Amino acid sequence: MTISPPQDPATTGPPRPVLLDPAFLRLWTGTTASGLATWALPFVLGLAVLERDLTAAGLGLALAARTAGFLGAVAIGGVLADRHSRRAVVLWSALAAAVAAPLLAAGLGRSSLLMAGAALLAGAGQGACRPAFQALAAEVVEDGRRQQANAAMTLAVRASTLMGPSLAALLAAVLDIKALLLGIGVLWLVAAFVPGRGAKTPGAGAGVEPRAPQRASFRREFMEGVQEARRHPWFVAGLGALTAVIATGYSATGVALPLISRDRYDTEMVLAAATTAYAVGALVGALVIARWRPRSQGWSALAGLAVYGLAPLSLTLPVHPAVIVAAYAVAGVGIELFNVPWFTATQREIVPDKLARVSSLDFLLSYGLAPLGLALIAPAITAFGAQPVLLTCALICFLAPAAAALAPTARRFTRAAAPSDSPGT
C-alpha cells in the first residue's frame, strides 16, 4: 500500500466536505439519477399493470429480460471500464438505457416483444454502468474521503427508495405511463452527461503505472479480475457471505413478508411498515457510517451484514407487528454498516486497473443469484412450510458472515493481516 507523507495540520486544515467538491457532486448527481431510474422502471411498469396497459405476464417477461440484460452486461462493462475510460463507459451505457425508455413507451400495449427487447437494453445499460461508476468514484475521490463519499451515494439511493413511491404516485395522477417512462429516459441522460472525468488513468498516482493497451480477450481479462479478487481473502469471504445473505435472507423475506402480512395479520400495513422501516434504518446506517471508523472495520461490517438475519427470524413466530417492523429497521441499519465499508475497502485495496472487473464480479454474484433465490424460496415454502424455511435462511444469514470473519485479513478488510487480526486473539 502507498503511504502518504505526514502533513502539517496547520497548513492543510480540515478535509473539505465531499459534497462541496464539484467533481464528486457531479458524480453523485449522475449515480443518484441512475439509481432512481433503476428503481423507477419496475414501479412504473407495475403501475401499467394496474391501469391495464400491460399484462402480468408482460410485466414478468419485461423484468426477466431486464435482469438478463443486467447479468449479461455487468461483466462486459467491468472489462470495458478497465480497458478504456471509465467516464466513456458510463456515458455509453447510460445512453443505451436512455434509448430503451422511448422503446418501452412505444411497445406499451402494442408489442410484448418490443418491450422485452427494450427492457433487455435497459438492463444492459444498467449493468454496464455499475462497475464503471464504482471505479470512477475511486478516481474522483481520494482515499481518505471515500467512506464519506460512498455513504453520501447510498443515502441518495435510500432516500429515493423511501420517497420514490409517493413521488411516482403523484406524477401518475397527472402524467400517463408513457410520459413516466420517458421521464426515466431523462434520468438516464442525466447519468450519462452530468458526471465529469476522473483520473487520466485508473488509479493514477504514486506507485501506479499507466495501463498498457489491452489486447487480450474479454474472457482472459475478466479472469484476470477473478485472479485479483482471489488475492484478497477478505474479499472472497465477504462476497460469499453477501451472496448467501441476499440469496437466502433477502429472497425469503421478499417472498414471505407479503404472505405473512396478508395471512397472519390480515392487512397490508405490516408489509408497508416493514419495508419503510428497512429504508429508514438504511438511511440511519448510512449517516452513522459516514463518520464512524471502527478499529476492526471488517468485523464490524460483517456483524452488520449478519444483523439481516433478524428480518427472516422475526417472521417465524406470531409476534406483534411492531417486532417485525423493528427487526426490519435494525436490518436496514446493519446492511449499510456493511455496504459502505465494503465498497470503500474494495476501492482502496484492489489494484486500480482491475477495480471495475472486481466490482463487476461483486455485482454479478451478489445480485445475479438473487433471482435464483427468489425462484427457489416459494416452492420451498410450499413444500416445507414458512417457518422452517425462514429459520434456515435466518441461520444462514447469521453463520455466513461469522464464517467470513474467520478469513485472513477479514478483521480490517485490508491486504495484509496484522498480528492481532487472528480471530483467536
Side-chain angles (χ1 to χ4, degrees), residues 15 26 38 71 101 105 132 138 148 179 194 223 235 260 265 292 296 306 327 329:
R26 292 179 65 181
T38 298
L71 296 178
Q148 184 185 12
V194 170
M223 291 309 298
F235 181 85
I260 289 174
Y265 299 102
W292 183 40
S296 300

Side-chain angles (χ1 to χ4, degrees), residues 211-231:
R211 291 174 297 169
Q214 299 287 344
R215 300 183 183 276
S217 67
F218 270 75
R219 180 182 179 279
R220 180 175 176 180
E221 290 190 30
F222 181 74
M223 291 309 298
E224 288 176 357
V226 174
Q227 292 169 3
E228 170 63 20
R230 293 175 62 183
R231 291 181 55 243

Side-chain angles (χ1 to χ4, degrees), residues 245 301-312 327 329-335 337 397-398 401:
V245 170
L302 290 168
L305 181 63
V307 164
Y308 194 90
L310 295 176
V330 174
V333 173
I335 203 68
L337 295 184
C397 290
F398 293 138

Side-chain angles (χ1 to χ4, degrees), residues 109-410:
R110 296 178 181 177
S111 172
S112 296
L113 185 61
L114 177 58
M115 290 205 67
L120 183 74
L121 181 61
Q126 174 194 342
C129 78
R130 290 296 294 271
F133 266 128
Q134 186 75 2
L136 188 58
E139 297 182 24
V140 171
V141 183
E142 67 273 17
D143 183 44
R145 297 193 298 170
R146 285 181 192 154
Q147 184 157 321
Q148 184 185 12
N150 287 320
M153 289 183 179
T154 198
L155 273 169
V157 172
R158 297 303 182 182
S160 298
T161 304
L162 187 62
M163 297 182 294
S166 299
L167 178 60
L170 289 173
L171 290 174
V174 295
L175 299 174
D176 61 17
I177 300 300
K178 291 184 178 181
L180 293 177
L181 289 172
L182 294 176
I184 292 174
V186 172
L187 288 173
W188 278 115
L189 290 176
V190 172
F193 290 111
V194 170
R197 294 182 180 273
K200 292 183 179 178
T201 59
V208 178
E209 296 293 333
R211 291 174 297 169
Q214 299 287 344
R215 300 183 183 276
S217 67
F218 270 75
R219 180 182 179 279
R220 180 175 176 180
E221 290 190 30
F222 181 74
M223 291 309 298
E224 288 176 357
V226 174
Q227 292 169 3
E228 170 63 20
R230 293 175 62 183
R231 291 181 55 243
H232 304 270
W234 66 267
F235 181 85
V236 175
L239 181 56
L242 175 61
T243 302
V245 170
I246 291 179
T248 57
Y250 187 82
S251 298
T253 56
V255 173
L257 179 59
L259 297 176
I260 289 174
S261 180
R262 181 195 67 191
D263 298 338
R264 183 187 299 169
Y265 299 102
D266 195 27
T267 177
E268 297 177 354
M269 289 302 298
V270 177
L271 171 62
T275 303
T276 302
Y278 180 80
V280 172
L283 279 170
V284 172
L287 288 170
V288 170
I289 202 61
R291 295 189 175 276
W292 183 40
R293 302 293 189 274
R295 184 171 180 269
S296 300
Q297 190 171 72
W299 284 0
S300 299
L302 290 168
L305 181 63
V307 164
Y308 194 90
L310 295 176
L313 185 63
S314 69
L315 300 176
T316 59
L317 297 173
V319 295
H320 191 278
V323 175
I324 296 176
V325 173
Y328 269 80
V330 174
V333 173
I335 203 68
E336 292 308 334
L337 295 184
F338 172 83
N339 278 341
V340 174
W342 174 257
F343 289 139
T344 305
T346 302
Q347 293 163 344
R348 181 185 66 242
E349 300 294 327
I350 299 300
V351 173
D353 65 355
K354 295 183 177 68
L355 175 56
R357 280 171 281 179
V358 173
S359 295
S360 72
L361 181 65
D362 178 357
F363 296 129
L364 185 64
L365 290 179
S366 59
Y367 288 96
L369 290 182
L372 178 62
L374 287 168
L376 295 178
I377 290 297
I381 290 177
T382 301
F384 304 106
Q387 187 174 50
V389 172
L390 289 169
L391 282 173
T392 300
C393 291
L395 191 62
I396 292 173
C397 290
F398 293 138
L399 293 181
L406 301 177
T409 71

